[in-house]
């Protein structure tokens, strides 16, 4: 039986988040420099978007650049930003033709000017698409996001637009960059690292994790389907006991 035939199409996650990791180590294995790994990872992104759309996943969040990644060697950071600009320019028409809406989370005001412009154009062009929302996390850090939300709420309280009694989980979520995006049911991390690295800390409270040893540039449909099958074999209890879920 093929992997695809095993998928339960009545239980497809609405939102899958991916920590795309292992580009550098994969490149090293090939005797290449780290940027070669990042460039090769673009094909994995393309493949993952295609499968997500085919399966009817509504939100796909890809962790592309963390706030901490600025501290990498300048050559690598510059290369990643160039790759981002190029990839957006190359892919935007195809994304649009496939009904994919691009949005970004993270502090994009700190990105190079040409990146900001490329992203703004792509967001605008694809804004009415409804097949799949592709969420790129760029200069993203979950602690930053939570602090930003907190500060905005504090200002509202200072200005007497809100009272502290009105602050609850629902309100707080509306101050996060993932406002109007459901929490991911599944988080995938490639490359054998079993950590969250400051990604979506608020949103993953009840997310299922799938860790795979595959390096990101090798990640293809087969690995994506395996992650979804792994998710579908889990029982999500949300603090309850098994009998309550099944009953
Ligand atoms: C993920 O691959 C891409 C980014 C973080 C931008 P890495 O560049 O982290 O690759 P490794 O983890 O060093 O192998
Ligand atoms: C997480 O990967 C960030 C992205 C995939 C963009 P890192 O490679 O930066 O994470 P650490 O340093 O291994 O925690
Ligand atoms: Mg890494």
């Amino acid at each position: 039986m093929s992997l695809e035939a095993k998928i339960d199409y009545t239980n497809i996650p609405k939102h899958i988040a991916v920590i795309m990791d292992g580009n550098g180590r994969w490149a090293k294995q090939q005797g290449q420099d780290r940027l070669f790994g990042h460039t090769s990872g673009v094909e994995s992104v393309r493949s993952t978007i295609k499968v997500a759309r085919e399966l009817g996943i509504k939100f796909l969040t890809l962790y592309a650049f963390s706030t901490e990644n600025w501290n990498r060697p300048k050559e690598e950071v510059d290369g990643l930003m160039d790759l981002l600009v190029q990839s957006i320019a190359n892919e935007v028409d195809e994304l649009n033709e496939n009904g994919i809406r691009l949005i970004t989370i993270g502090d994009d005001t700190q990105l190079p000017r040409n990146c900001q412009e490329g992203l703004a154009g792509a967001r605008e062009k694809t804004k009415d698409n409804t097949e799949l929302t592709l969420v790129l996390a760029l200069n993203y850090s979950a602690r930053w996001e939570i602090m930003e939300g907190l500060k905005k709420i504090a200002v509202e309280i200072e200005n007497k637009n809100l009272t502290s009694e009105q602050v609850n989980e629902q309100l707080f979520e509306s101050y996060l960059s993932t406002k109007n995006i459901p929490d991911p049911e599944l988080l995938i991390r490639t490359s054998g690292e079993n950590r969250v690295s400051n990604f979506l800390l608020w949103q993953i409270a009840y997310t299922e994790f799938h860790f795979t040893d595959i390096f990101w540039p090798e990640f293809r449909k087969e690995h994506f389907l395996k992650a979804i099958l792994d998710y579908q074999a889990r029982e999500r209890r949300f603090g309850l006991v098994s009998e309550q879920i099944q009953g």
Side-chain angles (χ1 to χ4, degrees):
M1 201 173 172
S2 70
L3 286 174
E4 232 161 346
K6 289 185 191 161
I7 297 277
D8 173 1
Y9 285 88
T10 68
N11 184 23
I12 297 287
K14 257 206 184 75
H15 182 181
I16 298 183
V18 188
I19 302 177
M20 311 183 288
D21 198 13
N23 295 352
R25 278 164 288 160
W26 178 82
K28 195 170 178 191
Q29 258 187 4
Q30 317 290 309
Q32 302 272 4
D33 62 10
R34 296 181 56 86
L35 269 175
F36 179 76
H38 299 312
T39 309
S40 303
V42 175
E43 197 48 44
S44 307
V45 172
R46 287 172 52 86
S47 156
T48 303
I49 294 170
K50 183 163 184 278
V51 178
R53 187 179 166 278
E54 284 166 4
L55 291 175
I57 291 158
K58 297 314 274 182
F59 295 89
L60 176 68
T61 299
L62 301 179
Y63 202 4
F65 193 84
S66 77
T67 306
E68 291 77 15
N69 290 147
W70 291 114
N71 298 320
R72 291 188 177 194
K74 183 175 183 320
E75 191 186 76
E76 179 169 350
V77 172
D78 290 348
L80 277 166
M81 293 301 149
D82 287 346
L83 182 62
L84 177 65
V85 173
Q86 260 178 39
S87 304
I88 296 288
N90 290 344
E91 305 295 335
V92 65
D93 286 336
E94 196 173 330
L95 291 175
N96 199 31
E97 280 156 24
N98 286 308
I100 298 166
R101 172 173 72 130
L102 176 81
I103 63 174
T104 54
I105 58 173
D107 186 3
D108 63 0
T109 65
Q110 302 306 309
L111 298 174
R113 175 60 58 93
N114 61 344
C115 269
Q116 291 187 43
E117 286 168 2
L119 288 167
R123 282 189 301 240
E124 176 61 27
K125 189 163 198 172
T126 61
K127 70 178 188 326
D128 296 324
N129 293 337
T130 57
E131 283 292 305
L132 165 70
T133 298
L134 173 63
V135 185
L136 278 189
L138 287 168
N139 190 19
Y140 176 86
S141 137
R143 286 185 175 176
W144 165 84
E145 175 186 45
I146 290 168
M147 281 300 129
E148 285 299 300
L150 210 57
K151 280 193 261 179
K152 285 181 196 148
I153 291 174
V155 170
E156 297 288 12
I157 294 175
E158 263 172 17
N159 293 341
K160 309 227 184 300
N161 296 324
L162 270 182
T163 65
S164 59
E165 286 73 32
Q166 286 174 295
V167 179
N168 57 26
E169 288 188 14
Q170 207 189 350
L171 178 110
F172 186 62
E173 281 170 3
S174 75
Y175 283 83
L176 295 176
S177 52
T178 50
K179 178 185 172 188
N180 298 326
I181 301 177
D183 289 343
E185 292 95 330
L186 172 63
L187 171 70
I188 300 171
R189 182 169 189 151
T190 58
S191 88
E193 303 297 358
N194 298 350
R195 57 177 169 258
V196 174
S197 302
N198 212 351
F199 193 40
L200 302 178
L201 295 180
W202 173 274
Q203 298 86 346
I204 58 175
Y206 271 103
T207 297
E208 299 291 333
F209 290 5
H210 174 87
F211 295 109
T212 167
D213 287 340
I214 293 288
F215 290 133
W216 179 251
E218 294 175 317
F219 190 86
R220 289 293 180 275
K221 182 173 190 173
E222 157 199 4
H223 310 109
F224 199 16
L225 294 178
K226 277 186 187 154
I228 293 168
L229 286 169
D230 183 21
Y231 163 81
Q232 292 186 335
R234 311 270 179 95
E235 179 182 60
R236 304 186 74 203
R237 286 192 289 277
F238 300 98
L240 306 183
V241 301
S242 196
E243 288 71 18
Q244 291 174 293
I245 308 291
Q246 285 161 11

